[in-house]
Amino acid sequence: MDFTVIAHAVEVDHGIKRLSMRFIKKYAAPERDRLSAALREQISQELDAQGLMTLPRTLPPSENEFVFVIQKDSPLGQVLALANVAAAMERAGANPPGIFDRFPEALKHLA
């Protein structure tokens, strides 16, 4: 897997890029017919090694879906990482109740 093209594209667009899963699969495993759960996990790990994260955090199985690829060390990436911690705390019941009431879609996408 070679994600340097994706990493450069994200860098050129100031730390965030919207990409289709078809485009990501093209660099991950063009010979594969579909995006299995194992392949999606491997893609996430490779992106993480490049200093990138995705939103939604769990990559979708459909090649027709789009995800945002974000540099982890950018201001937006740091906010997203903090939001992930808050979402994990919310699921564990450790956050003040209702912290995500104002942002109902956020919790779903941070899973």
Side-chain angles (χ1 to χ4, degrees):
M1 288 186 200
D2 183 18
F3 292 118
T4 54
V5 171
I6 293 173
H8 291 303
V10 171
E11 185 177 340
V12 167
D13 279 0
H14 307 289
I16 185 167
K17 184 83 173 170
R18 184 176 182 250
L19 299 172
S20 70
M21 287 302 296
R22 184 178 322 278
F23 182 82
I24 292 171
K25 183 180 158 284
K26 175 181 167 183
Y27 291 99
E31 71 285 350
R32 299 278 297 263
D33 289 335
R34 63 183 193 88
L35 290 162
S36 67
L39 177 60
R40 288 180 287 146
E41 179 62 32
Q42 188 178 3
I43 291 170
S44 291
Q45 291 172 359
E46 291 290 329
L47 289 172
D48 187 58
Q50 291 280 332
L52 303 170
M53 63 175 59
T54 61
L55 186 64
R57 298 288 293 159
T58 303
L59 294 174
S62 171
E63 291 184 33
N64 297 323
E65 300 268 342
F66 285 83
V67 296
F68 289 97
V69 181
I70 304 161
Q71 281 180 328
K72 290 193 300 186
D73 63 354
S74 71
L76 181 60
Q78 292 176 13
V79 168
L80 184 59
L82 184 59
N84 279 320
V85 170
M89 291 175 68
E90 174 81 8
R91 285 187 199 93
N95 269 347
I99 194 167
F100 283 96
D101 288 347
R102 291 183 48 202
F103 313 102
E105 291 295 308
L107 192 59
K108 178 178 77 174
H109 289 292
L110 293 170

